Amino acid sequence: MRRLGMSLIMGLLILHTFAACERQSPPPKPIGSATNKHVEEAPVPPSRRDADAMIQNMKAPMNDARRAEDVIKGAADRTRQQSDQANP
């Protein structure tokens, strides 16, 4: 009797283990649910192009600053020349 009880307990334990493993799959999606399919299907752009765009975005303010500095220096030079001509 004791052996039969232990066999039944072990059998039920194994049965529950397999049943629990079978339930580990993801739950089904509800009908009509919103998905991110447009994100999943979009091709991933190469990272090199992203890096180049990022570098260009970083260079743009520096180029603008250089141009502004050149304009200011040019205006300062013209003002200096005009003041030198006015005060001989």
Side-chain angles (χ1 to χ4, degrees), residues 5-85:
M6 287 301 285
S7 294
L8 268 171
I9 291 173
M10 290 301 284
L12 285 175
L13 189 65
I14 290 172
L15 181 66
H16 285 305
T17 303
F18 284 123
C21 289
E22 192 173 300
R23 293 185 188 175
Q24 293 299 321
S25 65
K29 291 184 180 180
I31 296 173
S33 67
T35 62
N36 291 335
K37 190 170 246 184
H38 63 283
V39 174
E40 294 170 2
E41 292 176 354
V44 177
S47 62
R48 180 75 177 162
R49 192 169 71 197
D50 291 341
D52 290 341
M54 211 165 73
I55 290 170
Q56 290 302 322
N57 288 341
M58 289 170 48
K59 283 183 179 180
M62 294 298 289
N63 290 337
D64 292 344
R66 271 192 212 102
R67 277 189 232 117
E69 184 181 9
D70 291 342
V71 168
I72 292 171
K73 282 183 181 179
D77 289 342
R78 283 192 301 275
T79 304
R80 190 177 307 118
Q81 287 174 357
Q82 288 174 358
S83 65
D84 287 344
Q85 291 173 356

